[in-house]
Amino acid sequence: MTSILIVGAGAVGALFGSALARQGAQVSVVCRSDYEVVSREGYDITSPLLGNHRFKPHQVFREVAECKTPPEFLILTVKVLEGVDRAALIRPAVGPGTVIVLIENGIDIEGEIAAAFAENELLSGLALVGVGRGAPGKVDHQMLGQLNLGRYPEGPSAAADRLAAMFNAGGIGCKVTENVVGARWQKAVWNATFNPVSITGGMLDTAVMLGTPESTAFIRRAMQEVCAIAAAAGHPMHPKLIEQLIEGTRAIPPYHTSMALDYKYRRPMEIEAILGNTVRAARKHGVSAPILETLYALTKMIEARLSAAS
Amino acid sequence: MTSILIVGAGAVGALFGSALARQGAQVSVVCRSDYEVVSREGYDITSPLLGNHRFKPHQVFREVAECKTPPEFLILTVKVLEGVDRAALIRPAVGPGTVIVLIENGIDIEGEIAAAFAENELLSGLALVGVGRGAPGKVDHQMLGQLNLGRYPEGPSAAADRLAAMFNAGGIGCKVTENVVGARWQKAVWNATFNPVSITGGMLDTAVMLGTPESTAFIRRAMQEVCAIAAAAGHPMHPKLIEQLIEGTRAIPPYHTSMALDYKYRRPMEIEAILGNTVRAARKHGVSAPILETLYALTKMIEARLSAAS
C-alpha cells in the first residue's frame, strides 16, 4: 500500500488526499489549524466530483516531525509565502526514497526545494480546482478538480505516472507532463493577471475584469506580457492561449480569484510566488512588463496597508 | 460692487466665495444639496487661514436659472464628471460680459466650455486646498488654500488680474499665470498619479504610497509618464518637479487624496478628468504610458464595480 503524507492539508490537500485514499493509498496528513476536529472526525467533504463523503486519514499529525516513517510520496500543499521555509518544514519526514510533490501556485517555486533535497525526486504539480474550507474540517469542493503533474525540471517520471494513475483511479483527472515548467508558465498567464487585478479596488470578480471591451483589452495586454516572459524563459505559449483563457473565464460564472479570497479574509496572499517571481523573470530576461510591474507595485502597497492595519 | 456667482458651491466654492465676499464682492451661490440650510443661515466655515466665520451669500439659488442678472464672474466649482453637461448647467446665468471661471480638477477640461461660450472670456483655475464638507452648510478648511489662475488657453488677462487681486485681498493667495494649461499639466503630475493609485486596494494614503523605496520608485515612474505626455503636449516640466512633489508629499502628514475620499464615501470620482484625459493625451501624442494606462483600466473596473453595487 502506497504511503502518502500530505503536508498543509487545507482544502486542496484534503480533497486530493481523499481521492488518493479512496483508491487504496495510505494517506496521512499534517494539519495544524484544524487538528482537533480532523484527528477526531476526519474531513467532511462535499464534492460534486467525488460525492459527499467523510475522509479519515490514516494518521493525523500536528507537526511534520511527528511522522516517524518517511512516506513514499510527500505532497506539499502549503502556500508559497515569504518567510516560510518550506524545505525546513518538510525535512523531518523526507526519507532517502521519498518523492516530493509540490501542488502549489506560482512561478519558480521549485528551486529551493530541489536544492535542499537534491537526492530526492521532485514532482511539480498544478491544481485546477475550486475548493474552500468552511468550518474546521469542512471542505467545500465547488468546481473543477484537475491536476497537471511532472518531474521537475523536466522529463519523464515513473513516479509521476504512478501518482497520476492513483489520482485518476480516485476520481481526480491527472495529466502527466514532461514540461511542467512550461505548464506552470501557462497557468501563470491566467494567475499573474487575474489574481493581482482582482484585489485592486476592493475585490473585483472575473465578470467585472472582463466586463467591458476596454477591461478585456487590458487583461489581454497583461497576459501578453506574461507570454513574452514565458517565451524568453524558453516556454513559448500557444498563440491562441490568451483567447482561450479569456473565453474560458467568460464561460463559467463570475468568481473571485484565490488572491481575492485571501484579501477578503485577511489571509497572506501569494503575491511573490504568483506575481513577484513572474516580474523577476521578466527583469532577468530583459523583457518589458510595465503592466505586471505596475500590478506588482500596487499589490505590494496593498499588502503593506493590510499588514499595517492588522 | 463686483457681482460673482458661484455654481456648485460645495466646500471649495463656499470657502473661496467667502474670501471674495470678505473683501467686498457681491457673492451669490447656486447650491443644490445644502440649499435649505445655506439659504437660511449661510455657511458655517472653520478655517485656519480665514478664521472661523459665517458666510451669508448675497443670494442663494437652488438652480442656475433662478439667477436673473448675469454676474460679472461666474465661478464653476462642480466636479468634472461624465454625463454632466457643464455648459448647459451654467448657460442660463451667462451674459455677454460674464467672465467664466473654472476652478476644477483635471486635464483638457476647458475645451467644451470654451466652445460653448466662444464670446466670453474664460479663466481656468487650479485650487490647492484641503477643505471638506461636514454637516450641511458646514465647511471644514483643513490646510493650504491657494489658487493659480489664468486665461484659457493662454496669455495675459485683465479679468484674471482683477479676480486674483480680490482673492488676495480676501485672504486666499492667488497667482496669475499666462500658461494655465502648463500649470494644469504640472498639477496632473501629482494628481494623475496619486489619485488613481490611492484607490487601488481599498484606500492607500500618501504614507503607504511612498512607504518603501520600491513604491516610491513606482510613483516616480508614473510621474515620469505624465511629464512625458506634458512635454509632448508642449508643456515640458521642470526637471526637478518630480522630486519636489515627492519630497513635498512626504513633508506633510499622511493623507487621502480627493479620489480616495470620493471612493470612501461612494461619491462620483473624477477618473476621466484627472486620468482618462491624461491617457487620451498620451495616445494622441503617441507617448507610451503603460503605467497610467494600467491605472486607468483598473480605476474604470473599480468604478464599474461600485456602480454595479449601488
Side-chain angles (χ1 to χ4, degrees):
Chain A
M1 196 186 263
T2 310
S3 65
I4 295 172
L5 178 68
I6 298 187
V7 177
V12 168
L15 182 72
F16 289 165
S18 79
L20 295 168
R22 259 159 56 117
Q23 62 77 49
Q26 190 187 74
V27 180
S28 298
V29 303
V30 178
C31 156
R32 206 174 313 203
S33 48
D34 294 358
Y35 174 81
E36 296 298 340
V37 171
V38 172
S39 62
R40 206 171 53 235
E41 302 170 17
Y43 294 94
D44 179 8
I45 299 177
T46 58
S47 167
L49 188 65
L50 305 183
N52 300 348
H53 64 288
R54 191 162 286 278
F55 162 45
K56 291 273 286 180
H58 175 63
Q59 287 182 283
V60 179
F61 304 113
R62 202 191 290 263
E63 302 283 348
V64 176
E66 293 171 9
C67 175
K68 301 299 181 194
T69 312
E72 291 171 73
F73 291 91
L74 185 154
I75 300 179
L76 186 60
T77 58
V78 299
K79 276 187 191 171
V80 180
L81 297 172
E82 282 178 292
V84 175
D85 184 341
R86 294 174 296 144
L89 175 69
I90 63 175
R91 192 178 306 279
V94 175
T98 299
V99 176
I100 301 170
V101 186
L102 309 179
I103 301 184
E104 297 176 303
N105 279 324
I107 282 290
D108 290 338
I109 59 146
E110 300 96 342
E112 66 181 272
I113 303 295
F117 303 99
E119 304 300 317
N120 291 78
E121 179 159 0
L122 177 59
L123 304 182
S124 186
L126 297 156
L128 191 64
V129 62
V131 60
R133 193 178 62 163
K138 294 256 186 198
V139 174
D140 180 21
H141 179 204
Q142 287 130 17
M143 60 180 176
L144 303 170
Q146 298 153 41
L147 264 174
N148 209 341
L149 202 68
R151 184 190 191 109
Y152 179 83
E154 62 185 352
S157 158
D161 291 341
R162 202 174 136 215
L163 186 61
M166 286 191 278
F167 272 119
N168 284 312
I172 294 288
C174 182
K175 286 186 192 163
V176 174
T177 173
E178 296 191 11
N179 176 19
V180 74
V181 175
R184 219 166 248 291
W185 273 109
Q186 182 171 325
K187 193 169 181 197
V189 175
W190 198 100
N191 264 347
T193 302
F194 280 101
N195 272 293
V197 172
S198 72
I199 65 166
T200 61
M203 273 171 77
L204 303 173
D205 66 20
T206 51
V208 169
M209 292 189 277
L210 299 176
T212 66
E214 291 77 17
S215 69
T216 304
F218 166 71
I219 293 287
R220 190 177 287 119
R221 289 199 306 276
M223 287 180 161
Q224 284 163 349
E225 290 189 357
V226 185
C227 288
I229 304 164
H235 301 280
M237 296 290 116
H238 191 284
K240 290 192 175 157
L241 173 65
I242 290 177
E243 294 314 313
Q244 285 166 355
L245 290 175
I246 289 175
E247 289 314 309
T249 305
R250 278 193 205 287
I252 53 179
Y255 69 100
H256 288 294
T257 68
S258 63
M259 200 177 280
L261 294 173
D262 287 341
Y263 174 87
K264 179 178 178 181
Y265 295 114
R266 295 288 188 272
R267 298 184 299 228
M269 299 183 287
E270 294 180 300
I271 293 173
E272 293 303 340
I274 290 174
L275 182 57
N277 288 352
T278 302
V279 165
R280 278 181 284 277
R283 294 174 188 165
K284 178 180 159 192
H285 294 288
V287 175
S288 168
I291 297 176
L292 300 180
E293 290 271 9
T294 298
L295 293 172
Y296 184 43
L298 295 176
T299 49
K300 294 303 282 183
M301 289 186 207
I302 294 169
E303 193 176 49
R305 175 176 71 80
L306 294 177
S307 79
S310 69
Chain B
M1 198 186 261
T2 310
S3 64
I4 295 172
L5 179 68
I6 297 186
V7 177
V12 169
L15 182 72
F16 288 166
S18 79
L20 294 169
R22 260 158 56 115
Q23 62 77 48
Q26 190 187 75
V27 180
S28 297
V29 303
V30 179
C31 156
R32 206 175 312 204
S33 49
D34 294 357
Y35 174 81
E36 297 298 341
V37 171
V38 172
S39 61
R40 206 171 53 234
E41 302 170 19
Y43 293 94
D44 180 8
I45 299 177
T46 57
S47 167
L49 189 65
L50 305 182
N52 300 349
H53 65 289
R54 191 161 286 277
F55 163 42
K56 292 274 286 181
H58 175 62
Q59 288 182 283
V60 179
F61 305 113
R62 200 190 292 264
E63 301 284 347
V64 176
E66 293 171 9
C67 175
K68 300 301 181 191
T69 312
E72 291 171 74
F73 291 92
L74 185 154
I75 300 179
L76 186 61
T77 58
V78 298
K79 275 186 189 170
V80 180
L81 297 171
E82 283 179 292
V84 174
D85 183 340
R86 293 175 297 145
L89 175 69
I90 64 174
R91 192 179 304 280
V94 175
T98 299
V99 176
I100 301 170
V101 186
L102 309 179
I103 301 184
E104 296 176 303
N105 279 324
I107 281 290
D108 289 339
I109 59 147
E110 301 96 341
E112 66 180 273
I113 303 295
F117 304 99
E119 304 301 316
N120 292 79
E121 180 159 1
L122 176 59
L123 304 182
S124 186
L126 297 155
L128 191 65
V129 61
V131 59
R133 193 178 61 163
K138 293 255 186 200
V139 174
D140 180 21
H141 179 204
Q142 288 131 16
M143 61 180 176
L144 303 171
Q146 297 153 41
L147 264 174
N148 210 340
L149 202 68
R151 184 190 191 109
Y152 178 84
E154 62 185 352
S157 159
D161 291 341
R162 203 174 135 214
L163 187 61
M166 287 191 278
F167 272 118
N168 284 312
I172 295 288
C174 182
K175 286 185 191 165
V176 173
T177 174
E178 295 191 11
N179 176 19
V180 73
V181 175
R184 221 166 247 291
W185 274 109
Q186 182 170 325
K187 194 170 180 195
V189 175
W190 198 99
N191 264 347
T193 303
F194 280 101
N195 272 292
V197 172
S198 72
I199 66 165
T200 59
M203 270 172 81
L204 303 173
D205 67 20
T206 51
V208 169
M209 293 189 277
L210 298 176
T212 67
E214 291 77 17
S215 69
T216 304
F218 166 72
I219 293 287
R220 190 177 287 120
R221 288 199 306 276
M223 287 181 161
Q224 284 162 349
E225 290 188 356
V226 185
C227 288
I229 304 164
H235 301 279
M237 295 290 116
H238 191 284
K240 291 193 175 156
L241 174 65
I242 290 176
E243 293 314 313
Q244 286 166 355
L245 291 174
I246 289 175
E247 289 314 309
T249 304
R250 278 194 206 285
I252 53 180
Y255 69 100
H256 288 294
T257 69
S258 64
M259 201 179 279
L261 294 173
D262 287 340
Y263 174 87
K264 178 178 180 183
Y265 295 114
R266 296 288 189 270
R267 298 183 300 225
M269 298 183 289
E270 294 180 300
I271 293 172
E272 293 302 341
I274 290 174
L275 182 58
N277 288 350
T278 302
V279 164
R280 278 181 284 277
R283 293 173 188 166
K284 177 180 159 192
H285 294 289
V287 176
S288 169
I291 297 176
L292 300 180
E293 290 272 8
T294 298
L295 293 172
Y296 184 43
L298 295 176
T299 49
K300 293 302 282 184
M301 288 186 207
I302 293 168
E303 193 177 50
R305 175 177 71 80
L306 294 178
S307 79
S310 68

